[in-house]
Amino acid sequence: MPNITGILALTAALAVSGSAMAQTAGSQSKPTIVLVHGAFAESSSWDAVISKLSADGYTAIAAANPLRSVASDAAAVSAIVRSVSGPVVLVGHSYGGPVITEAANGNANVKALVYVAGFAPDTGESSLTLSSKFPGSTLGSAIVPVALPDGGQDLFIQPAKFRAQFAADVPEEQTLLMAATQRPVTQAALAEVSGVASWKVLPSYMIYGSDDRNIPPAVMSFMAKRAHAVKTVVIEGASHAVMVSHPGEVTSLIEDAASAQ
């Protein structure tokens, strides 16, 4: 069932964004922004960012990330990128970072990568290895596993711990909805090692919060320096759900990346 759900979600996202892609084909004045959510989130986590991008004249597509494996998830995002006629800026949150890193490979129209509290793995690294590189993540104690028919596991954040762990600076009422609609990631996806690191050849931008409890800020700082990020923004007091709590700052960085191309 999880695979079917992911496929259906991706199909729906493509159908909704079809008209946007068609418009992009007719006008190349600005890059199209492809937004990739991470684990324990879904496409609506980008709603406020999309509204701001649209107001500034950008076409934005929120890709439905299946959260099954880095390789297959990246292939799904890559298909969206290939459907866009014109330049693309790829934006990834959390586990969406490894996905955009892989999805950019082989797509010459990708002009920049923006990591929003997102992993930027090198070859052979995984989300799990990076998250434990420096102390500070409390995600492990907040997770509840659900067995899958193939012997694997889906991982959720316990609803009672969701706000404190994932979105401490988001209003409580909103986090209750986020917890209820969170999409699980497979444990195998978090452990899957990455291939070619596209950030070595593409300009990269980083934004994260100082109070992130999923990915320690020290890890984000390490990855930003390693990737020679064009611009790094640290938001004091922001949680892992920085695109929800600080959509203005996230949008501004995305537009910096887009306008530089």
Side-chain angles (χ1 to χ4, degrees):
M1 288 301 294
N3 284 330
I4 294 173
T5 300
I7 292 169
L8 290 175
L10 177 60
T11 302
L14 285 170
V16 170
S17 60
S19 60
M21 295 179 190
Q23 292 172 8
T24 302
S27 173
Q28 304 306 324
S29 59
K30 293 183 176 182
T32 295
I33 313 301
V34 176
L35 304 152
V36 182
H37 68 81
F40 320 117
E42 35 91 38
S43 295
S44 69
S45 61
W46 297 111
D47 282 357
V49 171
I50 292 171
S51 293
K52 293 180 180 299
L53 287 170
S54 297
D56 292 339
Y58 287 92
T59 296
I61 300 169
N65 187 356
L67 305 175
R68 301 296 89 190
S69 79
V70 175
S72 64
D73 297 342
V77 173
S78 181
I80 295 175
V81 172
R82 289 195 302 273
S83 75
V84 176
S85 176
V88 167
V89 171
L90 275 175
V91 183
H93 173 246
S94 193
Y95 164 80
V99 174
I100 67 167
T101 301
E102 175 59 29
N105 290 319
N107 288 311
N109 59 333
V110 175
K111 301 303 180 183
L113 303 170
V114 181
Y115 295 89
V116 179
F119 292 111
D122 201 348
T123 304
E125 292 178 336
S126 70
S127 297
L128 288 180
T129 59
L130 280 170
S131 65
S132 60
K133 190 172 185 66
F134 296 97
S137 176
T138 58
L139 181 60
S141 62
I143 289 293
V144 57
V146 174
L148 294 172
D150 63 2
Q153 288 185 328
D154 255 345
L155 304 179
F156 293 82
I157 294 178
Q158 299 172 49
K161 296 183 177 181
F162 188 91
R163 185 172 189 238
Q165 178 62 44
F166 194 85
D169 58 344
V170 176
E172 184 174 3
E173 184 177 359
Q174 188 173 2
T175 60
L176 290 174
L177 292 174
M178 292 170 65
T181 60
Q182 67 172 297
R183 294 190 48 215
V185 64
T186 65
Q187 185 177 35
L190 296 182
E192 184 177 340
V193 298
S194 293
V196 177
S198 58
W199 48 260
K200 292 183 177 180
V201 295
L202 290 170
S204 301
Y205 297 73
M206 304 268 190
I207 184 168
Y208 59 96
S210 66
D211 285 355
D212 193 323
R213 297 179 185 178
N214 275 33
I215 304 176
V219 175
M220 288 300 308
S221 176
F222 163 77
M223 293 186 295
K225 292 174 182 176
R226 180 175 67 177
H228 303 289
V230 176
K231 185 175 182 180
T232 300
V233 177
V234 183
I235 302 179
E236 288 299 319
S239 70
H240 190 59
V242 65
M243 68 289 191
V244 178
S245 60
H246 293 272
E249 292 93 328
V250 171
T251 302
S252 179
L253 185 64
I254 293 170
E255 292 183 357
D256 284 348
S259 62
Q261 308 315 310

